[in-house]
Every structure is written in C-alpha cells, then in structure tokens.
Amino acid sequence: MKLNYESCVLGSKVVLVPYRPEHVDTYHGWMQDQEILDQTGSEPLSLQQEIDMQLEWYNDEMKCTFIVLSRDLCNFGDNCDDALVDRTPTNENPLFVERNLDAMIGDINLFLSTWDKDENEDDTAANNPKNKDIDQISKNVNHEIMQAEIDIMIAEHSNRRCGMGLQACRMMIAYGHDHLGVQRFFARINEDNTASISMFRNKLGFSQCGYAECFKQVELELLCTSDTLDRIRGQILPLLDTNQLQIFESKMP
C-alpha cells in the first residue's frame, strides 16, 4: 500500500521498512527455498513476476507489507551517536533502504478486509468473554470494522528463534491498529509449524478460532480490546530506546 511506503518502524531488534523495488532480488532468492514455500503456502515465481507483484502490492490499499531488517546490521549513517533521533533516516538521508539491503532478514504483512463481527459471536454462550470483547470494540468504532490477516516470515535461518519475529509482530499489531484502524488480527498457520503456533498463542496472546481440515491449518485471532492493546504496547516499550513506539518518515525515493 502507498500509506506505509515512506514510513519505517524502529524497534530494539528489528527495523520495519516498506517493501520497495530494491528488495525484490533478495526476496525472490528467499522464495526459491522449498521450506519457505511450504510454510507460507506460496508458489515459486519468476523474478519478473516478483517485480510485478511488488508494484501490484504498492497499489493495493488492502495489503500492507514491511521488510524486516536486523537492527544490528543496519547502517544509520556517518553521524550516528547514542541519540536515537540521530539514527533516524530523514529527508537529508534518503538512501536508508539502499544502504541496508544486507540487513534484510524477512517480511511481515497485513491483508486487510472488513470484519463481519456477527459471524464471530458465539450465540450459544451469552457470557462468552469473546462476545464481550466484540461488544467493546463495536462501541469504540462507529464505522466499518477492519480486520487483518497477519503473516511473518523470518527467511534468514540465523535470525530465527531469537525474538526478532516476535518483536516484528508486536510492532506490526501496534502499527496496524494505530495507523490502519485494525480491530481484529488473525493468522492461519500450518498445523505442523508448532513454533509459529506457540509464538502467536503464548507470546502474542492469540486464541484459536478455527481449523481448516483441507489445508491442515489452525486459525488464531486477537481482538483489539483496550486491555489487549495495553499488553502489546507494554511488551514493546521496554525494548525500545524511547518511551514510545517510534514511527518515522523516511522519504525514501
């Protein structure tokens, strides 16, 4: 989407940058890995198809994609000191993406759609806590309620199981809610991908809401109540260098 095309999200372990043409070569290389294809349910594409897909996603306001960078590998410029603001890409430092292609470790996506909350309510349990959460969200939103499927891929094996995917997800949830108005997040994960299921359940607080027998996939969801958002932000803030989730405009060409 165009909305996030000049925005980056800065965390202590990862930096999220918009998916740009400069990233396509590396992304295409990742998608030749059969394990990644299997876990993401993807088909291999030619390089030209990946180039076309990047442009298509840029023009699609219902798809929000960030490339995940390892912060430790990022080059923030020659005038970097201990102040976070001096390490933030600015209009005077427009080549952040080009300088940090070697810092790419994966991607994270939101696929937006309108949420029909009536389909999610459990008519058999009047006191079901989920119904109360849906009611709270409905009172806080006076327009169409947005939901988003979230998926995360850490393609570089050396960067897996060290909290980078987890932090990227927490940052993306906060970004999706605050900047895109997402009120419900859900993930569809292959049942044999136990590490991802455990992360979404035990670390992010998602709960199971469905199972697709034909695809052997578990569906998990997170409803954006005030308590949930406070918890997610509380998990993010201690990891950052400042007192808030930092969103900055990079104005990259």
Side-chain angles (χ1 to χ4, degrees):
M1 64 168 50
K2 297 177 182 178
L3 182 63
N4 77 315
Y5 203 63
E6 293 183 351
S7 297
C8 300
V9 189
L10 185 64
S12 62
K13 293 185 176 183
V14 298
V15 180
L16 307 185
V17 299
Y19 183 34
R20 289 178 170 258
E22 296 92 334
H23 298 127
V24 174
D25 280 345
T26 298
Y27 185 85
H28 177 64
W30 290 338
M31 300 309 290
Q32 305 310 300
D33 184 322
Q34 189 59 51
E35 178 189 1
I36 290 177
L37 292 174
D38 292 342
Q39 294 291 355
T40 59
S42 303
E43 297 292 333
L45 301 178
S46 69
L47 179 57
Q48 185 58 52
Q49 286 173 317
E50 293 285 12
I51 293 171
D52 295 341
M53 185 73 73
Q54 186 276 329
L55 180 60
E56 178 184 327
W57 283 28
Y58 165 69
N59 288 307
D60 191 335
E61 293 308 307
M62 303 302 280
K63 294 183 174 69
C64 179
T65 298
F66 284 101
I67 293 294
V68 183
L69 308 182
S70 167
R71 177 166 175 163
D72 287 345
L73 299 178
C74 284
N75 175 0
F76 287 93
D78 296 333
N79 298 319
C80 173
D81 60 22
D82 290 336
L84 177 64
V85 66
D86 291 335
R87 298 201 299 273
T88 301
T90 65
N91 294 345
E92 291 73 35
N93 187 17
L95 301 179
F96 184 77
V97 163
E98 294 181 9
R99 286 203 317 271
N100 290 293
L101 297 180
D102 290 340
M104 293 172 61
I105 63 170
D107 77 326
I108 189 166
N109 307 282
L110 294 179
F111 304 100
L112 282 74
S113 60
T114 302
W115 180 34
D116 185 353
K117 65 183 180 62
D118 294 331
E119 293 183 359
N120 286 267
E121 290 183 337
D122 184 353
D123 295 331
T124 65
N127 296 320
N128 189 327
K130 178 178 174 179
N131 290 348
K132 295 179 180 179
D133 291 344
I134 293 174
D135 289 342
Q136 182 189 135
I137 291 171
S138 299
K139 291 176 182 177
N140 294 334
V141 178
N142 56 8
H143 49 77
E144 286 189 334
I145 300 177
M146 296 300 297
Q147 65 177 358
E149 180 177 359
I150 181 171
D151 68 45
I152 173 76
M153 175 183 72
I154 301 299
E156 297 295 334
H157 288 261
S158 61
N159 295 109
R160 295 176 182 174
R161 301 183 184 277
C162 54
M164 291 186 173
L166 175 61
Q167 185 175 105
C169 284
R170 286 170 172 162
M171 292 160 61
M172 190 60 143
I173 290 169
Y175 180 88
H177 177 269
D178 294 347
H179 293 266
L180 305 178
V182 178
Q183 299 294 328
R184 174 184 182 256
F185 294 89
F186 65 98
R188 296 186 175 115
I189 308 171
N190 292 346
E191 65 178 2
D192 61 354
N193 189 350
T194 55
S196 289
I197 292 173
S198 176
M199 182 186 77
F200 275 89
R201 272 182 172 161
N202 301 327
K203 300 294 182 60
L204 293 170
F206 281 58
S207 58
Q208 185 166 340
C209 61
Y211 177 76
E213 177 67 36
C214 56
F215 298 112
K216 303 296 183 185
Q217 286 184 332
V218 175
E219 182 170 339
L220 307 169
E221 70 175 352
L222 182 75
L223 302 181
C224 292
T225 65
S226 56
D227 288 345
T228 295
L229 293 169
D230 287 346
R231 174 177 56 79
I232 291 289
R233 292 194 179 98
Q235 291 165 335
I236 294 174
L237 299 185
L239 303 175
L240 299 180
D241 295 333
T242 61
N243 291 325
Q244 59 183 348
L245 179 65
Q246 175 123 355
I247 311 290
F248 55 85
E249 298 301 315
S250 58
K251 299 298 180 186
M252 296 173 286

